[in-house]
Amino acid sequence: MPKLVMKFGGTSVADMACIRNAAEKIRREVERGFEVIAIVSAMSGRTNELVGWVNDASHTPGSNTPGFYDAREYDAVVSSGENVTSGLMALVLQEMGIEARSWQGWQVPVLTTSAHGAARIEDIPSDNLNAKFKDGVQVAVVAGFQGISPEGRITTLGRGGSDTTAVAFAAAFKAERCDIYTDVDGIYTTDPRITSKARKLDKIAFEEMLELASLGAKVLQTRSVELAMRYKVRLQVLSSFEDCPGTLVCDEEEIMESNVVSGVAYSRDEAKMTLVSVADRPGIAAAIFGPLAEAGVNVDMIVQNISEDGRTDMTFSCPIDDVRKASAAMEAAKEGGEINYHDLIADTDVCKISIVGIGMRSHAGVAQKMFAALAAEGVNIKVITTSEIKVSVLVDRKYLELAVQALHDAFDLDKAA
């Protein structure tokens, strides 16, 4: 029988009423002839509660600072939220007359690395679940977000772990599709809260979704989209609470026609940092961005301006939460003699606006059209970066909504291709 992976996030299994609603959706697919692997998250808010308990239980002697915990025990505690949901879902399905069984990550097993709190999936052997399907099990309810390390310890997968679990299962079991059920009914051309003209997309290419996810769109996590693209797993984003068509994330070849630009993404919490008057010499970029990487600063846009006297201003963007780390890393590098600069200027009142579309590959003038639309609204561009299917700009944060709306209108994203 064909297999279908269905993933339900925290809001989709927030309470028993939500779990029963999700179980109805699973039953519908069973009646259509699928063997279903249901990946479930912890009930909404439960993971944060468990993390709070860990922080309350574990801190350094004589200190009230939370977070100094044994990562192995952190995973043992935090993974329990998904275990509860998977058991409850299996019980509800059984009450509906469906042969269902729950599995924790170690029982499948989901084999991962030993990086507790941020483990990566290495392999998912299919023998155990396939044997149960042959014995008559119709639904395997699997706890998402977790696996087992080579040392036999429970691991968790970090941010977006349940989505990643679902895609990995779809790849391992060659599922027809991976359906991601969430609190939105699909992927939109931009955030509907910004503009009422935002339109739900029927289909979007893996590459476009990957760019949108990395640029601030929060419907899917980057890790899960990367995995889906690598293994050609067709993803469908659907609402847990409305019976309506969702958005299919698929290979570019499945999309007959698409707009030049598919969506506008934004990231509100950005900062622009400029090192003023840095010597222009071989190795200076490595001397700057090496310490930033070691400090865990996620650098995005980079612009280098060289003056006639051979001095350089180096500008880069990073998450606003990383400004303090970036400043400390640059000051330490300066004190250590690795770099020298006149000043470090941090601008924390900026945001990143991006347009994304596979149609950019074959159409000229997309960037010019973007810049003209922003100029017409009086929006000044501070930094620009591009890729084959993306153009991103850094602008003052006060212009975020205006910029998104202007670009959405300029590229006619309220109209289908």
Side-chain angles (χ1 to χ4, degrees):
M1 294 175 67
K3 288 183 173 60
L4 181 69
V5 173
M6 304 174 71
K7 182 265 178 178
F8 296 93
T11 55
S12 302
V13 291
D15 51 34
M16 289 307 300
C18 289
I19 289 174
R20 289 190 173 92
N21 176 64
E24 285 289 350
K25 294 183 182 300
I26 294 171
R27 176 163 68 175
R28 187 185 309 161
E29 300 300 340
V30 170
E31 290 172 350
R32 287 173 178 163
F34 286 105
E35 291 176 336
V36 174
I37 300 173
I39 309 296
V40 294
S41 297
M43 299 164 84
S44 185
R46 184 55 53 88
T47 299
N48 288 339
E49 181 182 39
L50 293 168
V51 171
W53 290 350
V54 170
N55 287 335
D56 185 48
S58 179
H59 52 76
T60 54
S63 166
N64 291 321
T65 304
F68 293 91
Y69 46 72
D70 182 330
R72 294 165 297 185
E73 302 308 332
Y74 169 93
D75 280 356
V77 174
V78 173
S79 64
S80 65
E82 281 74 15
N83 298 343
V84 172
T85 311
S86 60
L88 291 174
M89 180 67 80
L91 288 170
V92 169
L93 288 166
Q94 289 171 10
E95 284 294 304
M96 293 178 171
I98 295 171
E99 288 291 329
R101 184 64 59 199
S102 69
W103 272 270
Q104 296 175 20
W106 64 270
Q107 293 173 305
V108 175
V110 178
L111 305 175
T112 74
T113 62
S114 301
H116 289 276
R120 302 190 74 82
I121 296 174
E122 301 268 89
D123 190 23
I124 302 177
S126 58
D127 294 350
N128 285 349
L129 263 61
N130 278 335
K132 292 297 181 182
F133 281 129
K134 287 179 181 177
D135 287 344
V137 168
Q138 296 167 292
V139 180
V141 186
V142 178
F145 181 62
Q146 61 177 252
I148 185 168
S149 73
E151 296 79 25
R153 299 288 309 187
I154 293 171
T155 56
T156 61
L157 307 182
R159 187 169 177 80
S162 290
D163 281 358
T164 303
T165 303
V167 175
F169 268 84
F173 286 84
K174 296 179 172 54
E176 185 165 307
R177 198 176 63 245
C178 177
D179 288 347
I180 306 288
Y181 285 87
T182 182
D183 52 0
V184 297
D185 62 351
I187 297 159
Y188 281 73
T189 49
T190 195
D191 188 341
R193 295 171 297 182
I194 298 281
T195 175
S196 60
K197 293 181 181 180
R199 176 176 57 85
K200 184 168 66 177
L201 297 166
D202 296 326
K203 293 181 179 180
I204 187 169
F206 288 125
E207 287 182 81
E208 292 174 317
M209 190 66 243
L210 187 58
E211 289 282 12
L212 289 172
S214 68
L215 293 168
K218 294 178 170 56
V219 179
L220 290 172
Q221 292 293 332
T222 306
R223 277 175 75 186
S224 61
V225 181
E226 285 176 342
L227 199 62
M229 185 164 66
R230 186 186 313 161
Y231 292 100
K232 304 294 184 186
V233 172
R234 299 165 82 242
L235 291 175
Q236 185 171 215
V237 178
L238 299 153
S239 170
S240 291
F241 309 106
E242 296 178 33
D243 285 325
C244 60
T247 300
L248 183 68
V249 185
C250 58
D251 198 85
E252 181 181 339
E253 295 168 0
E254 285 193 54
I255 302 174
M256 294 291 291
E257 292 287 340
S258 63
N259 289 327
V260 176
V261 171
S262 294
V264 181
Y266 67 87
S267 176
R268 193 183 300 272
D269 300 321
E270 296 288 321
K272 177 172 75 77
M273 304 194 72
T274 302
L275 291 170
V276 179
S277 194
V278 180
D280 181 25
R281 60 173 174 79
I284 188 64
I288 292 170
F289 295 106
L292 290 171
E294 291 171 6
V297 177
N298 185 18
V299 173
D300 182 18
M301 301 171 158
I302 301 172
V303 175
Q304 183 178 17
N305 294 316
I306 304 174
S307 64
E308 291 182 1
D309 61 0
R311 306 302 292 181
T312 299
D313 290 348
M314 188 75 78
T315 297
F316 61 90
S317 68
C318 66
I320 198 167
D321 292 342
D322 285 353
V323 168
R324 186 174 297 177
K325 286 192 294 184
S327 298
M330 292 297 90
E331 289 169 10
K334 184 177 183 180
E335 290 174 5
E338 298 172 54
I339 58 172
N340 190 26
Y341 56 88
H342 181 266
D343 198 8
L344 175 58
I345 301 171
D347 183 354
T348 57
D349 291 320
V350 296
C351 65
K352 180 171 63 178
I353 312 291
S354 307
I355 57 172
V356 173
I358 54 177
M360 291 187 196
R361 293 194 187 114
S362 55
H363 287 77
V366 176
Q368 185 276 333
K369 189 173 184 178
M370 177 186 193
F371 303 152
L374 294 175
E377 298 293 341
V379 179
N380 185 45
I381 298 170
K382 295 174 177 287
V383 181
I384 302 168
T385 187
T386 65
S387 75
E388 191 180 25
I389 65 167
K390 170 199 77 177
V391 182
S392 294
V393 297
L394 221 55
V395 302
D396 287 330
R397 191 174 298 136
K398 64 183 179 181
Y399 294 124
L400 188 151
E401 292 192 9
L402 176 63
V404 169
Q405 290 170 352
L407 294 174
H408 199 273
D409 289 344
F411 290 98
D412 296 320
L413 293 182
D414 56 326
K415 302 170 185 173

